[in-house]
Amino acid sequence: MNDIREQIKTALESKTCFGLLNTLGYHSHRTGLNFANLADFREVFPIETDEFAAVPQLLFQLTWEDLFASSEGPKPVDNTIMESYLFFAIELKQSHYSRTALAKLTRDLNQFAN
């Protein structure tokens, strides 16, 4: 148990999302869709916010095959089958946000990912 905790701690200290996600067992070859500007990003994800300090970048996508290669398939989450997860790097303008504000930004982004 301590070994995985040390691996997670090391991954967090490295400040790279890929290290942490790989430590947690998430791997995908679907990476790197970069948007040239915020207008391009909003064509795909028409979220209305002015909280972005930079253009959000899609880091990678985990699909059904990536997550459940050795099992019987995806499990329902809130009565919905999730077949793909998108991981973004999003730099925000402020250094601190309430959990409520972050949850709203997440919900706003998620509504366009369906």
Side-chain angles (χ1 to χ4, degrees), residues 82-98:
M82 302 294 177
E83 294 182 2
S84 178
Y85 295 90
L86 301 175
F87 290 80
F88 287 91
I90 300 176
E91 182 180 348
L92 300 174
K93 289 181 179 176
Q94 299 178 39
S95 62
H96 178 76
Y97 287 83
S98 69

Side-chain angles (χ1 to χ4, degrees), residues 6-71:
E6 285 300 316
Q7 291 174 18
I8 291 170
K9 180 180 176 187
T10 300
L12 288 171
E13 289 170 350
S14 73
K15 296 185 180 179
T16 64
C17 66
F18 294 113
L20 176 61
L21 293 170
N22 288 336
T23 299
L24 296 173
Y26 298 119
H27 307 281
S28 177
H29 63 278
R30 295 168 197 84
T31 62
L33 173 62
N34 295 314
F35 299 95
N37 54 53
L38 197 51
D40 288 351
F41 175 81
R42 285 190 169 137
E43 279 185 34
V44 178
F45 301 97
I47 182 172
E48 291 300 323
T49 182
D50 46 347
E51 291 300 322
F52 297 149
V55 179
Q57 299 300 313
L58 177 61
L59 299 175
F60 66 91
Q61 175 185 20
L62 287 175
T63 65
W64 183 95
E65 292 86 11
D66 298 322
L67 292 169
F68 303 103
S70 62
S71 73

